[in-house]
Amino acid sequence: MKLKNNPRITIPVFGNGDVDTPQKVVEMKNRYGVDGIMIGRASIGYPWIFNQVKQYLAGNTSYPVPGIDERIEVCRTHLLKSVEWKGNVLGILEMRRHYTNYFKGMDHFRDYRVKLVTSNHLDELLETLELIKEKYSVVV
């Protein structure tokens, strides 16, 4: 049995996969004519990607990269909400995959990263975030 096209039915097509920059969003939209884009892994530990895409689509070719204070605050809130939602053990464990992206590109960060991904205590994690903020904040 052959199905006929039905002009009353429209199905939106969404693209995804390796979408980690605003430029890739536009490239995918132009190349494949998709109706929308899904962003997954690029947003893990870097939720700013969505605002950057929005600004880029509005014509702003330069968009702000979050500073250390903003990164720390968002990471801290994420950690606290994760613990509030899933409890201390699971909330802390599930946050470990996010730390690398929150602090990607920071020089001499290894020791802090090790503390973040090995600690099982909320107070210790919050203290480590404060130490990171103190060390990497730029004094103007």
Side-chain angles (χ1 to χ4, degrees), residues 7-68:
R8 294 174 298 163
I9 298 175
T10 58
I11 299 172
V13 176
F14 288 82
N16 77 339
D18 297 326
V19 180
D20 57 4
T21 66
Q23 294 80 3
K24 286 185 180 179
V25 168
V26 171
E27 179 185 339
M28 184 176 282
K29 189 155 177 56
N30 291 340
R31 177 181 278 175
Y32 302 109
V34 295
D35 298 298
I37 307 289
M38 294 187 292
I39 299 173
R41 282 183 299 220
S43 68
I44 296 173
Y46 198 79
W48 299 275
I49 184 75
F50 300 106
N51 192 39
Q52 291 175 346
V53 167
K54 183 178 177 183
Q55 289 187 24
Y56 189 79
L57 291 173
N60 299 325
T61 56
S62 66
Y63 34 82
V65 175
I68 189 63

Side-chain angles (χ1 to χ4, degrees), residues 62-136:
S62 66
Y63 34 82
V65 175
I68 189 63
D69 290 347
E70 186 176 359
R71 287 173 186 250
I72 293 288
E73 188 56 36
V74 171
C75 183
R76 182 181 178 283
T77 301
H78 189 173
L79 172 61
L80 292 172
K81 292 294 183 183
S82 180
V83 167
E84 178 183 319
W85 186 32
K86 297 189 175 188
N88 265 357
V89 175
L90 192 56
I92 288 171
L93 286 175
E94 287 190 0
M95 272 300 293
R96 290 179 177 175
R97 69 185 300 226
H98 299 276
Y99 296 125
T100 299
N101 286 340
Y102 272 115
F103 305 109
K104 186 180 278 184
M106 296 178 69
D107 292 334
H108 310 292
F109 196 77
R110 183 182 183 282
D111 290 341
Y112 293 111
R113 188 184 61 76
V114 168
K115 282 183 184 180
L116 290 170
V117 299
T118 58
S119 176
N120 293 315
H121 304 285
L122 181 60
D123 290 342
E124 188 176 305
L125 289 165
L126 294 172
E127 181 181 318
T128 301
L129 290 173
E130 284 305 310
L131 291 172
I132 294 167
K133 184 176 180 177
E134 289 172 18
K135 176 172 172 86
Y136 291 94

